[in-house]
Amino acid sequence: MQTPKRYRCADIQRFPVGNEHELLYSKAGQSSRILPATTVELLVRCRTFQTLEHHAQALGGEFKLTKAQASTVKTLLARLAKKGFLVSYEETLSRIQKTADPDNKPPPIASIAIPTCDRPELLQRALTSYIENCKAY
C-alpha cells in the first residue's frame, strides 16, 4: 500500500488585487494565479506536511464546514498542489538533497567587483583580505 503524499503551503508571495482577490506567486512552482482571498486563507493555513484529506478535515473543523464543503476544499487543495502552491514532502526533501549533493557545486567565482572610487586604502584592505581568504580556503 502506497503512503499518501503529504503537502504544505509553498513559499508564496501575496499581492492584493482588489475585489477580494489576491495574486499569488509560487517560487517553487514558478506559477502565479489570481485567487479569491478566501481560497488564499485556506491555503496559508496548510503550514505542516499533512495529507490533503487531513488538511481538508482540519480546515473543515476550523471553519465549521459541512462534509460536502470539506470535500470541495480537498478538491481545491489538490488543484493548488498541481499548480505548485502546495509542495509535497518528497519534493522538498529532493530539493534539499539536490542542493546538498557534492557533485552539484556552484560555479567558481570568475570575477569580483570592488567599488572603491577615490579610496585606495580600502582597495588595499579589500585585496589583502581577498588574497588571505583565497590562501586559507
Side-chain angles (χ1 to χ4, degrees), residues 89-137:
Y89 177 80
E90 293 80 8
E91 290 173 67
T92 304
L93 186 59
S94 174
R95 285 187 185 168
I96 291 169
Q97 289 172 337
K98 188 176 181 180
T99 58
D101 181 5
D103 294 332
N104 187 21
K105 296 177 184 173
I109 297 173
S111 61
I112 59 171
I114 305 172
T116 60
C117 182
D118 297 328
R119 295 177 286 183
E121 65 283 346
L122 291 178
L123 175 60
Q124 182 179 358
R125 179 177 163 207
L127 290 174
T128 301
S129 174
Y130 177 74
I131 292 168
E132 287 174 6
N133 277 306
C134 286
K135 289 177 184 176
Y137 303 101

Side-chain angles (χ1 to χ4, degrees), residues 6 8 19:
R6 296 177 296 147
R8 72 177 296 279
N19 201 22

